[in-house]
Amino acid sequence: MINYDLVVIGGGPAGMAAALKAKECGVGSILILERAETLGGILEQCIHTGFGLHYFGEELSGPEYAERFIKELKTTDIQVKCDTMALDISENNVVTAVNKTDGLLKIQAKAVILAMGCRERPRGALEMAGTRASGIMTAGTAQKYVNIDGYMPGKEVVILGSGDIGLIMARRMTLEGAKVKVVCEIMPYSGGLTRNIVQCLDDFDIPLRLSTTVIETHGKDRLEGVTIAKVDEKLQPIKGTEEYIPCDTLMLSVGLIPENELTKNVGIEMDRVTNGAVVDEMRQTDHKGIFACGNVLHVHDLVDYVTLESQLAGQGAAEYILNKQPKETVYVSTTTGTGVRYLVPQRVNIKNPNDVKLYFRVGRIFKNAKVVLECDGKVISSKKKVKLAPGEMENVIIPADVLASMNESGVICVRVEE
């Protein structure tokens, strides 16, 4: 049995930021477990720019953003085990992991931070007729082929889903000489950032068809084409709107799923909307000593927000390990009002002496609306927003003095008013 104060599972932007913050807060021995051969997570294949605008105040590529944290890690005594898979976490925070060098590892941790990131929703999760022809892949897989392996997945491309990865790959494939014929989105709005719609589609005259999906793929060995169709309000294909588009590649950008198998196995309470753990303002789960941050908690649109949230988890883990948590804990719940899909954190300790930031996403597009924050039925803030979109994460701040004045049976609510 190996002993560490803190074990961080995941060496992407979330895991690195959390570990560095915990070290800064005085935690002694820290170990990062990363299943890939290098640190950096998904950032390693994101060679486009747009990272770091909020956190560093400059525009960086994904590898550049990751490299800044990797360099900082090397200046500390934080230990890293790459090519190592975490298999299980026990009730008393013993992490079981395996790699080629050490074999099976048993690591006793005072605290654990979950930072495993997320994965793409595969074709099998979609109701789509057709054979398993080659040329059908997730947008992230295609991104790895092009940016890391140096392979072109195809020449004539249709993209299903307008998530940020799909939008970015529409531009990437165009720059590499492919023809992106159309981006189809089943919802009546795009799931990506506005800047990506402009920079990746509009700037390259790539059409975006909303309320449209792929209903069938054609081709036995290699994809030969797809049939697309408009959908109704219940997202069901409308007969008579079918259209055949010849192509050799179909890229799927139809959502991300937090990698929470480890979380579920420990018995941690899960949020049915985010598919991540239920946490407090310091990102601690209902299992004492286990924290969660980044895309394993809820899918973020900007890596800058991942870093900031993970630093909170690192600080929370440090306070837990060093017995510096608030001596009194009184949790109140956060609830979603009209127009809000989810809120993170799901509970807040009103004895916390600091301001608390709530992250949320809306369920549809709103224009010229207000974001209203209520505590104990009282309106704390009401901010006008020109536009709110499901693809862009929003936040509101609860001042510390408001928290201190709340009742133990109180509720925090965020809603949208048109």
Side-chain angles (χ1 to χ4, degrees):
M1 183 78 72
I2 313 169
N3 291 285
Y4 280 90
D5 290 332
L6 175 63
V7 172
V8 180
I9 302 176
M16 291 191 290
L20 287 166
K21 186 64 178 180
K23 175 56 68 175
E24 180 189 319
C25 292
V27 176
S29 55
I30 301 174
L31 174 65
I32 297 175
L33 302 177
E34 168 55 50
R35 68 181 177 186
E37 294 180 357
T38 58
L39 292 171
I42 198 67
L43 291 178
E44 293 298 297
Q45 67 184 53
C46 299
I47 65 172
H48 54 278
T49 58
F51 302 91
L53 288 168
H54 292 268
Y55 189 75
F56 290 113
E58 56 183 302
E59 197 172 36
L60 304 171
S61 68
E64 286 174 326
Y65 190 95
E67 185 63 21
R68 295 203 175 186
F69 290 91
I70 293 169
K71 281 184 177 178
E72 195 174 343
L73 271 177
K74 289 178 179 177
T75 66
T76 71
D77 61 355
I78 296 171
Q79 293 190 37
V80 177
K81 285 186 181 293
C82 289
D83 203 13
T84 302
M85 174 69 78
L87 303 175
D88 183 59
I89 305 169
S90 73
E91 286 288 324
N92 57 344
N93 297 348
V94 174
V95 178
T96 303
V98 65
N99 64 30
K100 291 182 288 187
T101 306
D102 304 302
L104 195 67
L105 292 163
K106 292 278 188 180
I107 308 157
Q108 176 66 66
K110 292 180 181 176
V112 177
I113 295 179
L114 306 173
M116 295 88 72
C118 59
R119 64 178 182 270
E120 293 177 283
R121 184 171 279 110
R123 184 219 168 124
L126 307 176
E127 295 180 3
M128 188 190 300
T131 60
R132 295 183 64 180
S134 64
I136 305 172
M137 67 196 77
T138 63
T141 298
Q143 187 181 58
K144 183 177 183 295
Y145 282 154
V146 177
N147 294 346
I148 301 292
D149 302 328
Y151 297 121
M152 270 294 279
K155 296 178 180 179
E156 294 186 313
V157 184
V158 170
I159 297 176
L160 175 59
S162 60
D164 289 313
I165 306 173
L167 298 176
I168 287 162
M169 281 311 294
R171 176 180 63 184
R172 189 78 182 94
M173 292 299 290
T174 302
L175 291 172
E176 288 297 330
K179 172 66 176 175
V180 179
K181 295 194 167 182
V182 67
V183 176
C184 298
E185 171 56 60
I186 195 170
M187 302 301 289
Y189 51 79
S190 171
L193 292 169
T194 302
R195 76 179 190 203
N196 284 334
I197 297 170
V198 174
Q199 295 173 3
C200 301
L201 299 187
D202 297 350
D203 289 357
F204 293 90
D205 296 322
I206 299 170
L208 170 62
R209 296 199 193 178
L210 301 175
S211 299
T212 303
T213 191
V214 174
I215 59 172
E216 188 175 0
T217 61
H218 305 276
K220 185 178 180 183
D221 296 321
R222 177 76 192 191
L223 186 69
E224 296 172 0
V226 298
T227 298
I228 66 173
K230 299 287 287 183
V231 298
D232 58 23
E233 292 179 355
K234 295 181 180 179
L235 306 182
Q236 295 302 308
I238 301 171
K239 287 186 178 180
T241 64
E242 298 88 351
E243 179 185 348
Y244 177 79
I245 299 177
C247 62
D248 60 17
T249 306
L250 173 64
M251 292 185 189
L252 307 176
S253 179
V254 290
L256 300 167
I257 306 167
E259 290 269 20
N260 267 308
E261 283 68 29
L262 278 175
T263 316
K264 292 172 185 174
N265 288 344
V266 189
I268 289 169
E269 183 184 357
M270 305 294 289
D271 186 309
R272 292 176 65 184
V273 180
T274 63
N275 290 316
V278 171
V279 295
D280 65 16
E281 74 282 359
M282 300 309 292
R283 304 308 187 260
Q284 183 170 215
T285 67
D286 62 350
H287 183 117
K288 288 211 167 194
I290 296 185
F291 298 75
C293 59
N295 285 347
V296 79
L297 183 60
H298 59 123
V299 176
H300 294 63
D301 45 9
L302 298 176
V303 72
D304 308 65
Y305 292 155
V306 168
T307 298
L308 293 171
E309 180 179 78
S310 303
Q311 289 174 338
L312 261 183
Q315 181 184 338
E319 290 174 357
Y320 176 84
I321 292 165
L322 303 172
N323 294 316
K324 291 183 178 179
Q325 288 182 313
K327 293 180 180 177
E328 198 175 352
T329 303
V330 179
Y331 284 119
V332 298
S333 298
T334 63
T335 60
T336 57
T338 306
V340 178
R341 280 191 64 235
Y342 73 77
L343 277 168
V344 174
Q346 291 86 351
R347 61 173 182 265
V348 175
N349 179 16
I350 60 176
K351 300 300 181 181
N352 186 322
N354 304 309
D355 295 351
V356 171
K357 184 178 285 188
L358 301 178
Y359 291 94
F360 69 93
R361 286 185 191 267
V362 293
R364 62 181 177 85
I365 289 180
F366 292 91
K367 292 184 178 179
N368 298 316
K370 290 180 181 178
V371 175
V372 179
L373 169 66
E374 279 188 1
C375 295
D376 284 345
K378 299 174 186 175
V379 175
I380 304 303
S381 65
S382 178
K383 293 184 179 179
K384 289 184 179 179
K385 301 289 277 188
V386 175
K387 184 180 179 182
L388 294 164
E392 301 189 23
M393 200 162 64
E394 304 285 343
N395 65 74
V396 292
I397 295 175
I398 311 173
D401 58 334
V402 172
L403 281 177
S405 66
M406 286 189 68
N407 298 315
E408 294 185 10
S409 58
V411 172
I412 297 164
C413 179
V414 177
R415 68 174 191 273
V416 178
E417 288 183 357
E418 291 188 271

